[in-house]
Amino acid sequence: MNGIRAAPPTGKRSRSELEADEADPRHLNVDGSQDGQSSSDDDLGPQLPSTVPKKKRRILPHEKLYIASLPASARYSKSLMHKESLSFVTMTPSTDFLITSSIDGVVKFWKKVVDGIDFVKEFRAHAGEVKSVSASSDGRSFATAGADKTVKIFDVITFDLLAVINLEYPPKNICWVHGRGASTPMVAVSIEDHNVIHIYGAESQKLLHTIERLHRSPVALMSYNEAYDCVISMDEGGMVEYWRPSGSYDKPDNVFQYKSSTSLFEFKKSKSVPSSLSLSPTGSHFATFSFPDRKVRVFDFASGKLYRTYDESLETIAEMQQAGTALQKLEDLDFGRRLAIERELDTTLLRNKANVIFDESGHFIIYGSMLGVKVINTFTNRVVKVFGQEETFRSLNLCIYQGQPQKKGVVTVSMAASANPLLQDAEARDPMLVSTAPGKVRFYLFTNDSDFNKSTRDVQNEKPRHLGKSAAAETIKPAETGSAATLHTTYGDIHLRLFPDAAPKAVENFVTHAKNGYYNNTIFHRVIRKFMIQGGDPLGDGTGGESIWGHEFADEFSSLRHDKSYTLSMANAGPNTNGSQFFITTEKTPWLDGKHTIFGRAVQGLDVVHRIENARVHKERPEEDIKIVSISVT
């Protein structure tokens, strides 16, 4: 206790020893007085509280240098396109390639050059949605997993497709699990509806090992930590596991001993599921984002202890807006619009797209929010920068480049900080933050360039979608067609690609009905397993519905065939009897060719299609109503 010291073991103490002991600062109180002594001998009765010095704010050394190594402009300077909505953006370490992928299975390679990126090559990697992507720790290999039950492996340096791994199951997540210079590159693949993890040799495409009992639920996320030679995996039940990708595949000895001493049960306790997992460049920390609690968490990797938590829940955002304590006070109309976009994030389509990333130093985390892309100093616990605060889109999937394409003397921010160079050296860097947005076919580049033209920053690098229509026709009826639509059902979202060139009447009918709310709260009234799901009847029994013209309209047959699952076609009662009803196939149905008009295909939310297909039915009608809440068209 304060003021009590052990007696000397033997003998008397000299006067000089006593004076030295009295001067020892370890025995000074907060007010500077010594233990056992009062600052005044006349102090009797109650005293005023002593003045406690203010708590010093934590200061991160070289913070200005780290911030200067981020893009300078808070607004995006350029955007580029895919034909369909973007899924993931990845910046490969060391090799400086940006790789973008979209929901139609397209993968594009871009090379980072001074003041921008150059397009290199495009691949039609998958016949459906890209479910997961992964870049190796040396930046030389890239892998994609698709809904078409394949894994594609690319050589980044030569931007070539090296190998294809055909799976017997739909993949859920993919991760390279080898370090730099490994003799056998390996990739781990988790399964959509099972708890196992398969490990394949990238060169042989052969199954090397299967981890069967580590998780009890399907594994949603995996990331390899090269510093610890350890993989961290997270499942849909909220459980987190560490394992070494070789030998016994058990937890390595260089991390925590007992899981009970960690914070890894945090997701289980909060009944949340991680949707994003990122490692810091040194491997010392990892960051997650989870639903439905919408919290950003930063953990220490070795101990598994929770380091920081940031609450981005809708309740907290609404309270801060009402109290006026938010990062930015919004007008009520603008706040309502942004809040509606936030609610859409917790859907099958977008849940695994929102991510949290680290900057090159590992001291800052970067993630999209309702108020823009936040950059938080986890050491001082403060927001140091916000990107895209004035933009109309909500940033979703992010990656960052902080190198110097021409200058090779300084490689990392940490090296620059340790040498404490002049700020001019930091300004010579060419940082670039890349962002996607929900439902957007563009990805956005935040750079040092603040002198840009708003009318030309959105580059039209893809052909317009409506090539078959004249400008006059589109001017007359701009709202009667579309190239994509989303069925918002009670089971989740189904994303459709429409074919207005192949079936203009059917698309116009469907789009107009959708925009007028004609399909809102209608049900899937006819469901046949291994065949199709049918809806669009306002009566709900298959006998109702009419076209936007008030009468039946003619069939529109084209070169499209029912040779794929997820084909969107018009239902009818015979030739040229189209009304409002439509169906989505779940298998190949070639006998329908020449009988039903094909006007689109489902490209995402295919798991929702199968959930509806497998619902319990009585005489082809689901026992529980499965509703189309609304349909949005783009």
Side-chain angles (χ1 to χ4, degrees):
M1 292 180 60
N2 231 4
I4 299 178
R5 294 193 294 275
T10 57
K12 295 183 178 180
R13 303 177 69 190
S14 66
R15 184 179 183 85
S16 60
E17 288 176 321
L18 291 173
E19 290 175 348
D21 185 52
E22 290 170 358
D24 190 345
R26 290 176 296 177
H27 302 297
L28 295 179
N29 293 322
V30 174
D31 62 357
S33 62
Q34 279 189 281
D35 293 331
Q37 295 184 359
S38 171
S39 58
S40 173
D41 292 336
D42 298 327
D43 289 341
L44 298 174
Q47 303 294 312
L48 290 171
S50 60
T51 303
V52 179
K54 291 183 179 180
K55 188 177 180 181
K56 291 184 179 180
R57 181 188 294 178
R58 301 185 76 185
I59 298 175
L60 175 67
H62 311 296
E63 182 185 46
K64 289 184 178 179
L65 180 63
Y66 296 135
I67 295 174
S69 296
L70 296 169
S73 177
R75 305 204 67 174
Y76 78 91
S77 59
K78 192 175 186 179
S79 75
L80 294 157
M81 298 175 64
H82 273 239
K83 289 182 178 178
E84 297 293 342
S85 301
L86 270 291
S87 296
F88 304 102
V89 289
T90 308
M91 185 63 69
T92 61
S94 304
T95 52
D96 301 346
F97 276 84
L98 171 67
I99 305 176
T100 58
S101 57
S102 51
I103 62 173
D104 56 352
V106 171
V107 174
K108 292 186 179 184
F109 284 70
W110 314 76
K111 177 62 178 175
K112 182 69 183 79
V113 295
V114 179
D115 298 329
I117 56 175
D118 283 346
F119 174 72
V120 177
K121 200 169 185 178
E122 175 180 330
F123 292 90
R124 179 76 182 194
H126 298 281
E129 178 188 359
V130 177
K131 303 287 288 185
S132 177
V133 299
S134 178
S136 61
S137 56
D138 59 5
R140 300 183 65 89
S141 301
F142 183 75
T144 62
D148 57 357
K149 300 181 182 179
T150 63
V151 171
K152 301 292 177 68
I153 296 174
F154 300 88
D155 184 288
V156 174
I157 301 296
T158 61
F159 32 89
D160 275 337
L161 177 62
L162 292 183
V164 179
I165 301 176
N166 292 302
L167 309 174
E168 297 179 356
Y169 48 82
K172 188 168 187 68
N173 191 255
I174 189 171
C175 177
W176 291 99
V177 291
H178 68 275
R180 300 168 189 263
S183 58
T184 306
M186 297 182 297
V187 62
V189 183
S190 66
I191 303 177
E192 186 72 46
D193 298 315
H194 206 277
N195 63 338
V196 303
I197 301 171
H198 293 308
I199 298 177
Y200 292 87
E203 295 177 350
S204 64
Q205 297 98 59
K206 292 182 179 179
L207 180 63
L208 303 179
H209 185 76
T210 299
I211 302 175
E212 295 182 347
R213 299 181 181 179
L214 184 65
H215 288 273
R216 294 185 178 181
S217 302
V219 177
L221 300 167
M222 294 182 287
S223 189
Y224 174 68
N225 191 330
E226 186 179 17
Y228 289 85
D229 189 26
C230 175
V231 180
I232 178 171
S233 54
M234 302 180 174
D235 64 34
E236 291 183 340
M239 293 302 294
V240 183
E241 303 292 346
Y242 286 34
W243 48 279
R244 194 183 296 279
S246 60
S248 62
Y249 294 87
D250 292 331
K251 179 181 71 65
D253 297 329
N254 55 353
V255 295
F256 58 86
Q257 184 176 4
Y258 299 109
K259 198 172 181 180
S260 57
S261 65
T262 72
S263 306
L264 299 181
F265 293 104
E266 186 76 14
F267 303 105
K268 199 73 175 176
K269 291 177 183 176
S270 62
K271 297 181 180 179
S272 296
V273 179
S275 61
S276 164
L277 170 63
S278 301
L279 287 166
S280 65
T282 61
S284 60
H285 293 84
F286 67 90
T288 65
F289 188 74
S290 56
F291 287 100
D293 64 356
R294 295 173 183 257
K295 287 185 178 181
V296 176
R297 294 178 174 89
V298 182
F299 294 81
D300 178 83
F301 187 89
S303 67
K305 295 283 189 180
L306 186 62
Y307 176 57
R308 294 281 190 235
T309 303
Y310 303 98
D311 190 356
E312 294 289 339
S313 64
L314 301 184
E315 295 79 7
T316 300
I317 292 172
E319 289 173 4
M320 293 177 69
Q321 168 73 9
Q322 188 173 6
T325 58
L327 196 64
Q328 177 189 6
K329 179 69 173 178
L330 300 172
E331 296 293 332
D332 290 342
L333 189 63
D334 188 25
F335 179 77
R337 178 186 65 81
R338 297 192 186 205
L339 199 63
I341 296 174
E342 288 298 305
R343 291 194 178 98
E344 292 180 3
L345 298 187
D346 195 5
T347 60
T348 306
L349 170 65
L350 301 176
R351 192 178 296 126
N352 69 326
K353 307 298 188 302
N355 67 338
V356 183
I357 61 174
F358 286 89
D359 82 317
E360 196 175 21
S361 73
H363 294 298
F364 299 85
I365 57 170
I366 307 170
Y367 62 90
S369 72
M370 193 173 87
L371 300 177
V373 179
K374 292 182 180 179
V375 182
I376 298 180
N377 183 335
T378 59
F379 185 80
T380 62
N381 220 21
R382 296 174 66 85
V383 177
V384 298
K385 200 174 183 73
V386 180
F387 294 99
Q389 201 165 14
E390 299 178 16
E391 307 297 351
T392 57
F393 60 85
R394 200 275 193 200
S395 289
L396 194 62
N397 196 253
L398 304 170
C399 69
I400 191 168
Y401 171 83
Q402 291 180 274
Q404 297 164 294
Q406 286 187 326
K407 189 174 180 180
K408 301 301 181 182
V410 178
V411 179
T412 66
V413 175
S414 299
M415 291 172 64
S418 63
N420 198 15
L422 298 175
L423 289 179
Q424 285 79 358
D425 289 336
E427 291 171 356
R429 287 175 168 268
D430 188 23
M432 181 179 71
L433 177 68
V434 187
S435 169
T436 69
K440 300 292 186 182
V441 299
R442 294 186 172 275
F443 61 94
Y444 304 88
L445 308 180
F446 294 85
T447 64
N448 283 339
D449 184 13
S450 57
D451 185 20
F452 53 83
N453 190 328
K454 290 184 181 179
S455 62
T456 59
R457 63 177 177 171
D458 297 319
V459 180
Q460 199 78 16
N461 59 298
E462 289 284 358
K463 294 180 180 179
R465 299 184 189 185
H466 310 294
L467 297 177
K469 293 187 176 291
S470 65
E474 288 193 358
T475 303
I476 296 170
K477 295 185 176 182
E480 294 180 350
T481 189
S483 60
T486 303
L487 297 181
H488 304 288
T489 78
T490 51
Y491 273 25
D493 290 351
I494 302 172
H495 293 256
L496 306 172
R497 183 178 180 184
L498 304 179
F499 305 138
D501 292 337
K505 285 285 187 183
V507 171
E508 182 182 8
N509 182 66
F510 178 85
V511 168
T512 304
H513 270 331
K515 290 186 175 181
N516 292 339
Y518 187 84
Y519 294 126
N520 292 2
N521 293 314
T522 60
I523 64 171
F524 287 95
H525 62 271
R526 186 171 178 234
V527 172
I528 303 177
R529 209 163 163 266
K530 299 290 184 181
F531 181 23
M532 61 89 208
I533 60 175
Q534 184 174 333
D537 178 10
L539 299 181
D541 59 5
T543 63
E546 63 179 11
S547 73
I548 59 174
W549 301 283
H551 56 76
E552 297 170 342
F553 64 96
D555 297 321
E556 298 171 288
F557 299 132
S558 64
S559 61
L560 298 173
R561 295 287 180 266
H562 293 84
D563 56 353
K564 298 178 182 177
S565 303
Y566 318 118
T567 299
L568 174 65
S569 300
M570 291 298 300
N572 59 42
N576 304 316
T577 58
N578 299 291
S580 67
Q581 296 184 41
F582 58 89
F583 61 91
I584 301 173
T585 65
T586 59
E587 297 284 340
K588 296 178 182 179
T589 54
W591 62 90
L592 300 181
D593 291 342
K595 296 180 181 178
H596 294 270
T597 299
I598 298 173
F599 66 99
R601 279 203 170 90
V603 294
Q604 201 158 0
L606 308 181
D607 56 329
V608 178
V609 174
H610 289 299
R611 279 191 65 198
I612 298 172
E613 176 198 22
N614 293 316
R616 292 175 62 106
V617 299
H618 176 68
K619 294 182 179 179
E620 300 181 354
R621 177 179 174 133
E623 294 180 352
E624 176 186 353
D625 283 351
I626 304 170
K627 291 185 178 181
I628 298 173
V629 179
S630 63
I631 301 177
S632 55
V633 180
T634 55

